[in-house]
Amino acid sequence: MVGKKSGKALLRDEGLERTDNNMDLSSWPQIAAINQKNYYTDYLKRDDQLLAFRLQNEEARNRMAKNAKDRDRALALGKPGELEPDTEMDGDTALEDVNEEAAEALGSKVIIVHIGSQNLRIGLASDALPKTVPMVIARRSAKSESEEEGVEPKPKRLKLDNDTAVEPEKMFGPEFSSLYTTMSTELKTHMRQNKRRTLPNSKEMVINYNRRTPPETISEHNDPMRVDWTEIADRPPEYITGQEALRIADNSRPRYKLFWPIRYGWCNEKDYESKRLLFLDISLILEDAIKTQLGLTSKKDWPQYSCVFVIPDLYEKSYITQILEMLMSEFGFSRACFIQESLAGTFGAGFTLACIVDIGAQKTSICCVEEGMCIENSRINLKYGGADVTETFVKMMLYDHFPYAEINLWRRYDFLLAEELKKNFCTMNESSVSVQVFDFHLRVSGRDTRKYAFKAYDEVLLAPMGYFQPAIFDNSYKLERRRKLLPRSYDIYDGQPNDPVSAAQSEILSSISPAPVNSQFNGESQLNTHDVQSTPSRSQQLSALSRVQDLDPTPRSSIAGSPAPEAFGTPHARGSGTPIPGAPAVAASQTPRTPTVEERDDILPIFPLDSAILKSVVHAARSDDRKMRDFLGGIMVLGGGSLVSGFHAFLEERLQALRPGYTKEIMIGTPPRDLDPQVVAWKGASVFGKLNGTNDSWIGQLEYDRLGSRLLAYKCMWSH
């Protein structure tokens, strides 16, 4: 029997005895554990711990030191006249460089870029007005956009089984015919109430004249306004951008196909197969515009320039990050910054408090701005604009037997013709509504010019009336392939979407989205449902008083029928919004539910313009009656879609009909100094780009190389 071993013997026999020299296993210092009950850290709690702020303060100190040296040098040389008067400035404010300002004009090294769905406006901050370039690129292709298989003419016409066109009154379907007839009847009734003369057979006069009036042929040498089409060289380029792309003949050799990278304020995911090609076209259009319009032909000079980029109020994070990478990495600008459209509009007009309504070609944005900041909950983005008015005007003319029945907006010369017809003939003055004879010239490459004469009656007013009855627009294709190339951006920490949300936009989407069939709420649950919709942002707390203020159940007489009631918990009429295609109609007794984040991309924001403006103002005022009156008195309409004659007075009358208690306060303003409404946002961005001493939004190359798009959280003037 083996005896029990002692501890020492066990260590010795088993090889467990320690034989080292008592040195630590590692040379790294051993740090004691933190007392979890009482500890404190100031990590990322001071501005000087952020690289963006450190670089900014360092640049300010360097400029202050350089300015002091220049001042001492001027005093030593006995040239006190070169000195600027002393200005009291704090340590965070950078002083202007005296020699740099003397050498070049202010803003001559700042490029301002404003991208729209149809036009690009670009120029230097020192320019009085920007250069306007169509936001389009033509690429070599086997067929043009109008010759591709499966592409139907635009506007789309119905055909019989044997591929024969139907009568003009039936070619757009019964829904369009019913809406058009209803709008025409209501307009005639309103004109009679205003003691305006209307002929009972006006439509018959228009149709009969258009049926029997043939076109007149004019030879090319007798046409003083003939078009200079783009000539294709012996070695045709791979792509052509801008106005030259629109002037390429449809039957050119080789064929070219047009691509529009931006559609309806979104990236055009429908016509592109890859995200890389989409942003490549955007960069090519910008690059050609900088070289041809600004004269900066050498990219080696671009690092000397800065760039101010105008973005939508309700932007997409993925779009902003891609544009920032393009400006800093591909173009190599020394620095860049972003500004929202509505804020740029107030800068351009010189307003401190206003409700900006920007009607573009395919997008309408509404936002209230106060003291240099866009009010988050007031932002609204609607997917219609001047291009929808153009298409609707062509449909109404074809409905009344337009003599040029073969018009197809996919063809380039027809697209330019339709834009010209809308610009010349559309109006919102009731005094101009009468049976009138108009004419236009059809110019096609390789053919003689044809002069058409036609009559029009109320089409010139009912087409822009679509802003207030958007169901007349063709909205069936605007959501095709949405989110197929650019997925939604999510926060990497909490998984929440990065794209901004707005209480006003959420309310519009809720009123449009179909409610579940089995949903039955009482009054209390309805209130709670709408409180949930305002939770995405901490500033979206809607008070019950603002909802009560938004109630206006009393029907009011208006120019084109009574709009839907402004009740917060009441669904709007189906005609005022476009639900998900194929979705069933919502009964009037059902309450619209709040769509989820994923469902918002499946709902097209189509809403009457006058009602949308009031919703934006109500969310901006937040039950403050004084602010409500200030915003209603500071409505400013911008964009090319507002250039219709008489639009401002018409919109003012509509708003006064919806809010009779604020009749004296409601006022629609125009840009000061007779400035073109299309360039006000660009002009405001140019003013913003000249604020060198007080603008902290610039992103430099050094900080972008280190932090990338994360800098947007520190550099943007809005909550990111």
Side-chain angles (χ1 to χ4, degrees):
M1 181 174 179
V2 181
K4 183 178 181 181
K5 294 184 178 181
S6 64
K8 292 184 177 180
L10 186 63
L11 291 175
R12 182 181 64 254
D13 296 340
E14 299 295 334
L16 299 178
E17 186 176 6
R18 182 171 179 172
T19 58
D20 58 3
N21 54 0
N22 294 327
M23 294 182 65
D24 294 334
L25 297 178
S26 173
S27 60
W28 289 91
Q30 300 293 327
I31 301 176
I34 298 177
N35 181 5
Q36 298 291 333
K37 294 182 179 180
N38 185 17
Y39 71 94
Y40 173 78
T41 178
D42 60 354
Y43 177 66
L44 292 184
K45 291 184 178 180
R46 299 196 311 268
D47 288 347
D48 57 1
Q49 294 175 338
L50 302 177
L51 177 64
F53 291 99
R54 287 205 308 272
L55 292 177
Q56 178 180 324
N57 294 334
E58 182 180 351
E59 182 182 359
R61 287 194 299 270
N62 292 338
R63 279 189 291 193
M64 290 176 64
K66 188 175 185 301
N67 185 270
K69 292 179 181 178
D70 293 339
R71 188 179 297 276
D72 294 341
R73 185 182 301 109
L75 290 174
L77 295 176
K79 299 178 181 179
E82 296 182 1
L83 299 179
E84 293 183 350
D86 293 335
T87 305
E88 294 293 333
M89 310 183 78
D90 54 21
D92 295 333
T93 305
L95 295 174
E96 299 289 340
D97 192 342
V98 180
N99 294 336
E100 183 178 353
E101 286 191 3
E104 60 186 16
L106 184 62
S108 61
K109 294 292 185 179
V110 180
I111 299 175
I112 312 298
V113 180
H114 185 193
I115 287 182
S117 299
Q118 188 163 310
N119 290 312
L120 160 70
R121 291 180 173 85
I122 188 170
L124 298 175
S126 57
D127 295 340
L129 294 174
K131 307 292 192 305
T132 300
V133 181
M135 191 66 190
V136 63
I137 183 172
R139 288 187 171 273
R140 292 180 59 179
S141 176
K143 296 180 180 179
S144 64
E145 60 272 14
S146 60
E147 297 172 341
E148 288 191 334
E149 297 179 1
V151 176
E152 298 178 343
K154 185 179 180 181
K156 180 180 178 181
R157 287 97 154 169
L158 298 179
K159 294 185 178 181
L160 299 176
D161 296 336
N162 56 358
D163 206 23
T164 352
V166 299
E167 299 177 3
E169 293 84 355
K170 300 178 182 178
M171 65 169 53
F172 301 115
E175 183 179 357
F176 176 81
S177 177
S178 175
L179 284 171
Y180 181 32
T181 306
T182 303
M183 292 173 65
S184 181
T185 305
E186 291 175 347
L187 176 62
K188 186 178 295 185
T189 303
H190 188 270
M191 292 178 63
R192 287 174 179 171
Q193 292 175 354
N194 292 341
K195 302 296 187 292
R196 298 191 184 276
R197 182 184 178 187
T198 58
L199 298 177
N201 58 341
S202 300
K203 285 289 185 182
E204 289 76 8
M205 295 172 59
V206 170
I207 293 174
N208 292 334
Y209 182 88
N210 292 340
R211 276 176 174 173
R212 58 181 172 81
T213 306
E216 175 187 351
T217 303
I218 302 175
S219 57
E220 185 177 359
H221 63 275
N222 289 330
D223 184 9
M225 303 294 293
R226 58 181 178 272
V227 176
D228 295 330
W229 300 94
T230 302
E231 296 182 1
I232 306 300
D234 296 335
R235 292 185 178 181
E238 189 65 29
Y239 65 89
I240 301 175
T241 64
Q243 189 66 33
E244 294 183 355
L246 289 179
R247 292 300 185 184
I248 300 176
D250 290 78
N251 57 353
S252 63
R253 293 182 181 275
R255 293 285 197 273
Y256 281 84
K257 181 181 178 182
L258 297 186
F259 289 91
W260 302 82
I262 305 295
R263 295 274 84 177
Y264 313 108
W266 290 324
C267 290
N268 186 4
E269 301 172 273
K270 176 184 176 183
D271 297 334
Y272 285 88
E273 297 299 330
S274 68
K275 173 183 175 182
R276 183 191 64 81
L277 185 59
L278 170 62
F279 283 97
L280 175 62
D281 281 359
I282 295 178
S283 65
L284 289 176
I285 295 173
L286 287 176
E287 181 177 342
D288 280 9
I290 293 174
K291 290 180 178 179
T292 58
Q293 303 298 325
L294 304 184
L296 304 177
T297 55
S298 176
K299 296 189 71 172
K300 296 180 180 179
D301 299 333
W302 293 8
Q304 304 175 13
Y305 288 79
S306 307
C307 181
V308 178
F309 199 93
V310 183
I311 63 172
D313 302 323
L314 285 174
Y315 56 88
E316 294 185 10
K317 176 69 177 299
S318 57
Y319 172 72
I320 303 301
T321 54
Q322 288 287 338
I323 292 296
L324 179 61
E325 180 182 0
M326 181 190 306
L327 298 178
M328 304 301 293
S329 301
E330 185 174 346
F331 292 169
F333 291 131
S334 62
R335 53 182 186 170
C337 70
F338 297 97
I339 183 173
Q340 293 169 293
E341 286 178 338
S342 297
L343 181 58
T346 58
F347 271 84
F351 288 5
T352 57
L353 185 143
C355 177
I356 303 296
V357 181
D358 192 344
I359 306 176
Q362 298 181 347
K363 170 185 68 69
T364 298
S365 62
I366 307 169
C367 179
C368 293
V369 182
E370 183 181 14
E371 298 297 337
M373 292 294 291
C374 293
I375 301 178
E376 295 180 8
N377 287 340
S378 67
R379 295 175 293 181
I380 293 177
N381 193 304
L382 306 175
K383 300 305 178 183
Y384 58 75
D388 295 277
V389 175
T390 302
E391 183 179 352
T392 304
F393 181 58
V394 172
K395 291 172 70 173
M396 290 180 176
M397 295 302 301
L398 290 172
Y399 186 92
D400 293 336
H401 296 257
F402 190 54
Y404 179 39
E406 301 82 16
I407 187 171
N408 180 7
L409 299 185
W410 289 120
R411 293 195 290 253
R412 293 149 203 172
Y413 56 87
D414 283 345
F415 169 76
L416 297 174
L417 172 64
E419 289 288 335
E420 181 184 354
L421 293 177
K422 179 195 70 172
K423 179 181 178 181
N424 294 338
F425 303 138
C426 281
T427 180
M428 301 203 80
N429 294 319
E430 286 188 2
S431 58
S432 302
V433 177
S434 61
V435 179
Q436 302 179 62
V437 180
F438 302 106
D439 61 73
F440 66 91
H441 294 77
L442 176 64
R443 298 177 175 89
V444 185
S445 176
R447 302 182 191 174
D448 289 336
T449 302
R450 282 180 290 175
K451 180 180 179 181
Y452 286 85
F454 68 98
K455 278 188 176 182
Y457 177 50
D458 56 0
E459 304 93 337
V460 296
L461 188 142
L462 294 182
M465 179 78 76
Y467 290 139
F468 308 97
Q469 295 187 0
I472 197 68
F473 296 150
D474 185 4
N475 305 309
S476 59
Y477 54 88
K478 296 181 179 180
L479 282 177
E480 292 182 5
R481 296 198 60 184
R482 173 72 173 142
R483 295 293 187 190
K484 298 301 180 183
L485 299 180
L486 298 174
R488 189 184 296 105
S489 174
Y490 289 95
D491 191 273
I492 61 175
Y493 296 105
D494 55 11
Q496 296 296 322
N498 284 324
D499 298 340
V501 293
S502 165
Q505 183 81 356
S506 299
E507 182 182 342
I508 287 179
L509 295 179
S510 300
S511 63
I512 297 174
S513 62
V517 178
N518 56 353
S519 63
Q520 294 183 0
F521 304 112
N522 55 23
E524 182 180 357
S525 61
Q526 288 182 12
L527 187 61
N528 294 335
T529 300
H530 290 291
D531 284 339
V532 172
Q533 106 179 11
S534 61
T535 54
S537 174
R538 65 178 180 271
S539 60
Q540 295 181 4
Q541 304 297 328
L542 304 179
S543 64
L545 183 57
S546 66
R547 288 190 291 271
V548 173
Q549 185 178 4
D550 201 23
L551 284 168
D552 192 10
T554 307
R556 306 288 179 187
S557 60
S558 64
I559 296 176
S562 299
E566 285 291 305
F568 192 94
T570 306
H572 287 264
R574 293 298 98 195
S576 62
T578 301
I580 304 174
V586 184
S589 60
Q590 295 175 348
T591 301
R593 64 186 180 87
T594 303
T596 63
V597 175
E598 289 74 15
E599 291 174 341
R600 290 176 185 172
D601 291 334
D602 298 328
I603 303 174
L604 186 64
I606 298 293
F607 206 73
L609 180 62
D610 48 355
S611 300
I613 293 175
L614 291 178
K615 287 188 180 297
S616 175
V617 170
V618 166
H619 282 276
R622 293 186 293 245
S623 72
D624 188 341
D625 186 69
R626 183 184 59 82
K627 281 189 177 181
M628 182 86 171
R629 297 178 185 276
D630 291 342
F631 284 124
L632 289 177
I635 300 175
M636 186 171 61
V637 182
L638 308 177
S642 65
L643 293 178
V644 182
S645 175
F647 176 79
H648 295 76
F650 190 93
L651 175 60
E652 189 172 312
E653 185 178 349
R654 295 278 301 197
L655 293 174
Q656 290 172 353
L658 289 178
R659 281 289 185 270
Y662 297 93
T663 303
K664 297 181 180 179
E665 286 80 8
I666 294 177
M667 184 179 299
I668 308 298
T670 56
R673 301 178 297 277
D674 295 331
L675 194 62
D676 186 357
Q678 300 178 93
V679 303
V680 173
W682 182 93
K683 192 67 177 177
S686 69
V687 174
F688 181 73
K690 298 175 185 177
L691 302 177
N692 293 330
T694 57
N695 186 358
D696 300 334
S697 303
W698 291 108
I699 298 175
Q701 282 285 355
L702 174 61
E703 47 195 349
Y704 177 78
D705 292 340
R706 295 186 181 181
L707 298 179
S709 60
R710 288 178 293 173
L711 277 168
L712 295 173
Y714 306 112
K715 291 292 188 174
C716 294
M717 295 192 301
W718 59 89
S719 60
H720 199 275

